Amino acid sequence: MPEHSADRIGFRHLCLRGFAYMLLVAALMQAVLLEATYMPDVRFSEIGLTESLQSLLLLAGTILAIVARRLDDRLPHLTLLVIGLLGASLIREQDAWLDEFVFDGAWQILVSLLVLPILFVVIRNGRAFAAELERYATTFSGGLFAAGFIGTYVFSRLYGRGEMWEAVLGEQYIRVFKDAAEEVTELFGYTLLCIAMIELLLLARRWRQQGRG
């Protein structure tokens, strides 16, 4: 069996998983509609349903990445960096709670304690990481992760800028429009990242089975 044959997904499995992921996205968007319709006091706020779903997706993605790392050791540095990114994002999403119940700025310290050691390890093993990234980028999981990363950390931030929505809406500007635009696109980005981790776990499982074959 060729070394990279396990990187590929059969057409039937790709279609089935694609359909399941579409159902997941549809369910999440239905939840957003319910929040907008029936939760006017908290919609798109720190305690709203959309923010809670973002945290849930990040938690699930982090756990899936940890399990994938333990299941197969072919991408040790890349998975470590992914765990750091998702974990840091999860901590960042709890900033309001941490500032209120721990101390102001707690999330920055927690993120630093998580990310800095991981960056040290990854940078120290830069060549190994580059080789892992080159392989991962050609997988279905890698493509989904790239889309989720760009959607979350680039597009969502730019699309949700207050000045753009003030320019679009003019005198009719209400902050909730800006919040909805930013939080919903961020939710979709986190969804792609979580799906990428599902695919990474399945990829690690195929690699492990290939190794036993």
Side-chain angles (χ1 to χ4, degrees), residues 87-135:
S89 298
L90 177 59
I91 294 170
R92 173 64 180 84
E93 288 297 328
Q94 319 312 313
D95 61 334
W97 185 89
L98 290 169
D99 287 345
E100 181 176 356
F101 296 104
V102 182
F103 59 84
D104 187 30
W107 73 268
Q108 290 99 324
I109 294 177
L110 292 174
V111 166
S112 298
L113 290 174
L114 173 65
V115 171
L116 291 179
I118 290 176
L119 287 177
F120 174 78
V121 172
V122 172
I123 293 173
R124 188 178 182 182
N125 298 275
R127 289 187 179 180
F129 169 75
E132 294 169 22
L133 180 60
E134 183 177 359
R135 180 171 187 180

Side-chain angles (χ1 to χ4, degrees), residues 17-137:
R17 299 219 288 268
F19 180 69
Y21 298 148
M22 285 190 286
L23 291 179
L24 172 61
V25 171
L28 290 171
M29 292 310 300
Q30 186 63 30
V32 170
L33 176 60
L34 291 174
E35 178 181 12
T37 304
Y38 299 109
M39 304 176 186
D41 295 334
V42 299
R43 59 186 177 185
F44 310 116
S45 68
E46 295 286 350
I47 59 174
L49 181 58
T50 300
E51 288 267 6
S52 299
L53 290 172
Q54 290 174 2
S55 295
L56 182 62
L57 289 167
L58 285 169
L59 177 61
T62 303
I63 293 172
L64 288 167
I66 292 172
V67 175
R69 176 180 168 81
R70 293 178 61 87
L71 195 62
D72 189 272
D73 62 355
R74 301 187 199 197
L75 304 174
H77 305 98
L78 186 139
T79 51
L80 183 62
L81 187 62
V82 167
I83 291 167
L85 173 67
L86 297 178
S89 298
L90 177 59
I91 294 170
R92 173 64 180 84
E93 288 297 328
Q94 319 312 313
D95 61 334
W97 185 89
L98 290 169
D99 287 345
E100 181 176 356
F101 296 104
V102 182
F103 59 84
D104 187 30
W107 73 268
Q108 290 99 324
I109 294 177
L110 292 174
V111 166
S112 298
L113 290 174
L114 173 65
V115 171
L116 291 179
I118 290 176
L119 287 177
F120 174 78
V121 172
V122 172
I123 293 173
R124 188 178 182 182
N125 298 275
R127 289 187 179 180
F129 169 75
E132 294 169 22
L133 180 60
E134 183 177 359
R135 180 171 187 180
Y136 180 62

